């Protein structure tokens, strides 16, 4: 059984894709349901039931489920969506009212809860999909181009590094948690303009991001510290007002931007140099 309790970032989507792939690929869909009118309309015309699941892939924070006959379901979890996997017929651990998408096979049921964004795409639409095509290098992909990642960071000019790291057009896979943790590890004040950072600093953040996302995938839980205590897995994220684990100063927290993204940092470990 799979649950994604933490806020979806590259690691959770990667793990969800791996679990859904194991359970669904090669299986015939026996039932499909959704509360998205757009999905049910396409399902009514093109019937998802009866198709075989051909592939499940994570691309940054997008999850793609490909069915036979040129139909791919793209979902994006944003802040609160999750996919859960159940043996066929098992009771869900979330209320039915949170259900947005159900994919059933003879053996398993995959349920998308509170998925905020979903659409069906053909291969042609997928290839032209603006948000998928504009994704930066995927931090969890085996092939990763660090020079391209740095070029995209530099293209952000004076934007605060915290925003640059969140932009999926720069590198794909970092969310709020990793953003705050990575900047703590690099000892960089989150609102420093990207242009004020050296190549070595930018490359270091990206290398840490690759290492820590891969570690979280391997462990099946998110961590940026070596602590085995589940309550101590993060340095600063979600710890506003508490003592810094490194220096004891009070951790700062601020919500910025249109969607009030939370940023946490230590004022002493990550001083504003400007
Ligand atoms: Zn500190």
């Amino acid at each position: 059984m799979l649950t994604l309790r933490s806020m979806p970032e590259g690691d959770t989507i990667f793990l969800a894709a791996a679990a859904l792939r194991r359970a669904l690929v090669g299986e015939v869909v026996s039932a499909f349901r959704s509360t998205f009118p757009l999905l049910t309309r396409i399902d009514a015309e093109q019937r998802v039931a009866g198709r075989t699941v051909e592939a499940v892939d994570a691309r940054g924070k997008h999850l793609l489920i490909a069915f036979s006959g040129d139909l791919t379901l793209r979902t994006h979890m944003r802040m609160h969506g999750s996919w859960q996997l159940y043996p066929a017929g098992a009771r869900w651990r979330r209320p039915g009212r949170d259900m947005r998408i159900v994919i059933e096979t003879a053996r398993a049921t995959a349920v998308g809860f509170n998925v905020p964004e979903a659409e069906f795409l053909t291969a042609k639409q997928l290839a032209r999909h603006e948000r998928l095509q504009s994704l930066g290098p995927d931090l969890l992909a085996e092939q990763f181009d660090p020079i391209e990642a740095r070029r995209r960071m530099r293209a952000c000019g004076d934007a605060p590094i915290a925003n640059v790291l969140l932009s999926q057009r720069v590198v794909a896979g970092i969310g709020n948690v990793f953003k705050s943790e990575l900047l703590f590890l690099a000892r960089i004040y989150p609102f420093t303009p990207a242009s004020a950072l050296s190549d070595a600093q930018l490359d270091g953040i990206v290398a840490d991001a690759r290492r820590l996302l891969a570690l979280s995938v391997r462990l099946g839980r998110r961590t940026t510290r070596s602590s085995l205590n589940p309550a101590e897995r993060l340095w600063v994220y979600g710890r506003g007002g508490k003592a810094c684990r490194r220096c004891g100063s009070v951790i700062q927290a601020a919500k910025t931007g249109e969607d009030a993204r939370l940023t946490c940092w230590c004022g002493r470990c990550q001083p504003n140099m400007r």
Side-chain angles (χ1 to χ4, degrees):
M1 202 155 332
L2 166 86
T3 315
L4 303 175
R5 280 191 199 82
S6 43
M7 207 177 287
E9 300 196 20
D11 55 340
T12 40
I13 305 299
F14 190 92
L15 284 168
L20 292 170
R21 188 180 304 130
R22 277 193 301 275
L24 301 180
V25 168
E27 302 287 323
V28 175
V29 178
S30 53
F32 178 87
R33 297 196 300 283
S34 177
T35 58
F36 284 98
L38 196 65
L39 296 190
T40 50
R41 201 167 71 221
I42 289 182
D43 179 47
E45 291 164 4
Q46 307 190 34
R47 305 305 298 180
V48 178
R51 295 175 190 249
T52 302
V53 180
E54 291 185 332
V56 182
D57 284 302
R59 278 210 229 150
K61 293 195 262 182
H62 302 260
L63 196 135
L64 304 175
I65 302 175
F67 302 98
S68 57
D70 193 19
L71 194 65
T72 294
L73 174 65
R74 179 188 72 87
T75 55
H76 193 289
M77 302 299 121
R78 293 218 201 118
M79 305 291 265
H80 303 296
S82 68
W83 277 99
Q84 290 187 3
L85 203 50
Y86 296 95
R91 226 185 129 87
W92 300 350
R93 282 168 300 132
R94 295 274 303 260
R97 65 172 181 275
D98 291 347
M99 180 282 271
R100 298 292 177 272
I101 304 168
V102 177
I103 302 168
E104 286 180 22
T105 69
R107 295 189 309 164
T109 303
V111 191
F113 289 105
N114 291 326
V115 172
E117 197 179 312
E119 62 179 341
F120 279 126
L121 300 164
T122 64
K124 199 181 242 176
Q125 290 169 326
L126 208 52
R128 285 190 197 144
H129 198 279
E130 207 275 327
R131 281 173 61 207
L132 288 171
Q133 295 315 313
S134 63
L135 282 176
D138 192 325
L139 291 159
L140 279 162
E142 275 177 36
Q143 302 288 323
F144 181 85
D145 184 349
I147 304 297
E148 175 62 10
R150 193 208 295 158
R151 190 190 68 74
R152 288 179 180 236
M153 293 171 108
R154 285 281 175 235
C156 296
D158 295 338
I161 185 63
N163 298 0
V164 170
L165 293 180
L166 277 186
S167 167
Q168 304 299 302
R169 289 165 180 268
V170 175
V171 284
I174 296 176
N176 262 344
V177 178
F178 276 103
K179 170 197 78 180
S180 292
E181 295 291 296
L182 288 165
L183 292 172
F184 176 83
L185 290 168
R187 299 187 178 240
I188 293 169
Y189 175 64
F191 307 106
T192 307
S195 54
L197 299 173
S198 68
D199 283 353
Q201 283 176 308
L202 296 181
D203 293 353
I205 295 170
V206 167
D208 275 352
R210 295 236 323 137
R211 186 173 56 80
L212 293 170
L213 279 161
L215 178 69
S216 293
V217 163
R218 207 158 58 238
L219 296 175
R221 57 184 168 77
R222 182 171 298 153
T223 185
T224 57
R225 305 181 73 233
S226 53
S227 170
L228 293 176
N229 179 345
E232 294 184 357
R233 281 178 197 155
L234 299 176
W235 288 102
V236 289
Y237 189 81
R239 302 196 63 247
K242 295 185 180 158
C244 173
R245 298 191 198 278
R246 189 188 275 151
C247 77
S249 298
V250 176
I251 299 292
Q252 312 290 308
K255 286 189 174 177
T256 56
E258 284 169 19
D259 42 7
R261 296 288 217 147
L262 182 65
T263 304
C264 303
W265 73 99
C266 171
R268 193 186 290 170
C269 293
Q270 299 162 265
N272 182 0
M273 308 295 242
R274 297 169 66 84

